[in-house]
Amino acid sequence: MKKILILLCVIPFLAACEQIDTGNRGVKVKWGEVDMKAGSLPEGLYFYNMLTSTIVEMDTRILKFEGKTETYTKDVQQADISYVVNYRLNQDAAHIMYKEVGRSWEERLLVQAVEGELKKVIGKYDAVDLIANRGRATTEAKAAIISALAPQNVTIQELQ
């Protein structure tokens, strides 16, 4: 009887629950390793053993990033570029992103890819052509950024 009472007192401390909010995905980490079999957990309530596991939330909503960069055109004219990118983490790949990059994936992947691809595209144009073909340059930059970030499981919604 004593053992059952002790067991009943200990069980609630071993079980924990986590609610994954709307627009997020959960990543189950067991013994410090991402549980790849569980994949990205959708919204909902999850119970787990708090001694061996944790659940980390990853935001998969559309987010906005604003930045500025300096680059040079083909004819070596300095161009100051201000941009806005709407992006999101692919929902089914939250566990992969957490395992390979971590929670601060935006800081590690997004800025470098966006600015690098912008500089490549701007470098193809003379300053006068860049002004005349601003729309085409934006389209080219968006396509380049999309292809650079797609293997990283990041979707670009819009580039301005």
Side-chain angles (χ1 to χ4, degrees):
M1 185 66 164
K2 243 182 181 179
K3 291 180 182 179
I4 293 174
L5 185 59
I6 292 172
L7 187 60
L8 289 175
C9 291
V10 171
I11 287 176
F13 293 106
L14 296 178
C17 66
E18 178 75 29
Q19 177 181 328
I20 307 299
D21 295 323
T22 301
N24 293 299
R25 288 295 185 257
V27 178
K28 186 175 182 183
V29 180
K30 190 172 185 178
W31 296 111
E33 182 179 353
V34 173
D35 185 352
M36 298 301 279
K37 290 179 185 174
S40 298
L41 305 173
E43 297 96 343
L45 187 63
Y46 295 91
F47 295 93
Y48 62 95
N49 181 335
M50 63 187 260
L51 296 178
T52 63
S53 303
T54 58
I55 294 180
V56 178
E57 277 191 69
M58 299 282 285
D59 194 346
T60 59
R61 294 173 289 185
I62 295 175
L63 303 169
K64 176 181 169 181
F65 176 74
E66 296 180 56
K68 292 182 179 186
T69 188
E70 293 178 357
T71 187
Y72 291 92
T73 60
K74 186 178 179 182
D75 57 348
V76 197
Q77 298 295 315
Q78 183 173 341
D80 296 326
I81 307 295
S82 297
Y83 59 90
V84 177
V85 180
N86 292 338
Y87 65 96
R88 72 182 305 165
L89 173 62
N90 293 343
Q91 293 180 334
D92 296 331
H95 63 293
I96 297 167
M97 183 65 77
Y98 184 77
K99 180 178 182 176
E100 294 179 358
V101 183
R103 289 189 76 161
S104 58
W105 61 271
E106 293 113 320
E107 297 167 10
R108 296 180 182 166
L109 297 178
L110 191 68
V111 177
Q112 294 86 338
V114 170
E115 290 188 4
E117 295 303 322
L118 279 173
K119 289 178 180 185
K120 284 181 192 175
V121 170
I122 300 302
K124 294 178 185 178
Y125 289 90
D126 287 330
V128 174
D129 294 335
L130 181 62
I131 294 168
N133 297 306
R134 181 178 177 181
R136 190 172 86 191
T138 301
T139 303
E140 284 180 35
K142 181 179 177 183
I145 293 167
I146 287 171
S147 65
L149 289 171
Q152 303 292 333
N153 295 305
V154 178
T155 302
I156 299 300
Q157 302 290 328
E158 190 59 48
L159 171 69
Q160 295 291 323

